[in-house]
Amino acid sequence: RPGFWVRERAQMSQRHAARCFNDGSSSVLFPQAIDDLLAWMGNLLGKPSAELRNEDFLFITCGNWDVKTALPRQCGKPPPGGGVSAATQRLLFSRWCNLKEAFREHFKLSESAAPTGMRGMLRRLNIPLAGQHHLGMDDV
């Protein structure tokens, strides 16, 4: 959420160690972040990023919105915040696994009986939620 850390800094400072805060941000523009992601994936898989195919990896999400809507929307914005090529978007965002759907299918749950989010899945597995829900450093 843009601005979350700014709005909630005092409260978050009480809940998280000082090392969790990056006051000297080294953020990069979104197209550079995508290029860095491709390079990291290529390195991880032992091949040049130009040789990556969408069958080489699978993003795991808790819902469809991020990969289906938010990331392609950001990629399609004009530079400097967007400007990611259509080919790169197809490579990265043409397939993914929605963990909620995989969970429902694995436990053979009906749509109405299936948990609707991470908290519900954790509760069903008797796993306590640790950290702050939807906070990137905790979600990973």
Side-chain angles (χ1 to χ4, degrees):
R1 293 179 226 152
F4 179 82
W5 283 94
V6 173
R7 290 189 309 273
E8 304 293 330
R9 184 173 185 95
Q11 180 184 12
M12 298 303 278
S13 294
Q14 293 173 355
R15 295 172 58 194
H16 299 284
R19 64 180 157 64
C20 294
F21 296 87
N22 181 7
D23 292 325
S25 176
S26 59
S27 63
V28 297
L29 294 174
F30 191 73
Q32 181 62 52
I34 293 292
D35 288 344
D36 292 348
L37 171 65
L38 290 168
W40 177 79
M41 291 168 57
N43 185 54
L44 185 68
L45 296 171
K47 58 170 57 177
S49 60
E51 293 178 16
L52 288 173
R53 300 174 327 172
N54 67 359
E55 297 85 18
D56 293 333
F57 59 90
L58 183 67
F59 289 117
I60 308 297
T61 68
C62 191
N64 294 321
W65 185 80
D66 294 310
V67 179
K68 183 178 181 181
T69 304
L71 288 169
R73 183 182 298 158
Q74 181 67 41
C75 289
K77 289 185 175 190
V84 176
S85 74
T88 298
Q89 291 182 57
R90 278 191 304 276
L91 169 69
L92 292 174
F93 311 129
S94 62
R95 64 188 208 108
W96 64 92
C97 174
N98 179 345
L99 190 57
K100 292 188 287 190
E101 293 173 5
F103 188 94
R104 182 179 49 77
E105 290 172 15
H106 176 78
F107 288 102
K108 299 176 180 28
L109 301 170
S110 67
E111 293 275 343
S112 62
T116 58
M118 184 180 73
R119 288 179 196 261
M121 290 185 287
L122 290 171
R123 197 172 312 122
R124 182 169 175 94
L125 296 170
N126 294 316
I127 300 173
L129 174 62
Q132 172 74 31
H133 188 52
H134 286 298
L135 181 60
M137 66 184 177
D138 288 340
D139 284 351
V140 296

